[in-house]
Amino acid sequence: MTTVPSPTADTRWRCTLCGNLTRFDVTRSSKVVEYVHLDLAGEPTVEEREVVSETIESVRCRWCNAVDQIELVDRPGAGS
């Protein structure tokens, strides 16, 4: 399985097939530690959440449905 790089402060995703820059379905796996508080009725509330690790497994373009056509490109004004 190939992981997809995450966008940074200077980059963003772009679909090489249709040019989409804004709409993607992201499948990710996360390992988290949560502090869960149960009220007296037994209803859980997550009060703290720490992400231990996270991997983006796939990014699918919402416009054209492409899965293997996502690349990282510079954001406008990045590096200036």
Side-chain angles (χ1 to χ4, degrees):
M1 171 177 34
T2 305
T3 59
V4 178
S6 296
T8 66
D10 296 326
T11 62
R12 63 182 176 175
W13 286 321
R14 177 183 177 276
C15 177
T16 60
L17 202 58
C18 72
N20 171 28
L21 293 166
T22 60
R23 302 286 191 265
F24 302 95
D25 288 319
V26 180
T27 303
R28 68 180 82 226
S29 295
S30 300
K31 183 176 181 180
V32 299
V33 175
E34 294 178 333
Y35 168 62
V36 179
H37 177 215
L38 301 175
D39 65 17
L40 293 177
E43 291 296 319
T45 302
V46 177
E47 293 188 355
E48 295 176 14
R49 184 175 194 256
E50 175 190 353
V51 178
V52 177
S53 65
E54 186 170 65
T55 303
I56 298 175
E57 295 177 2
S58 69
V59 180
R60 182 175 61 86
C61 177
R62 263 295 175 113
W63 289 0
C64 71
N65 240 9
V67 175
D68 57 350
Q69 301 293 319
I70 309 302
E71 67 178 352
L72 282 179
V73 296
D74 291 335
R75 290 182 193 238
S80 53

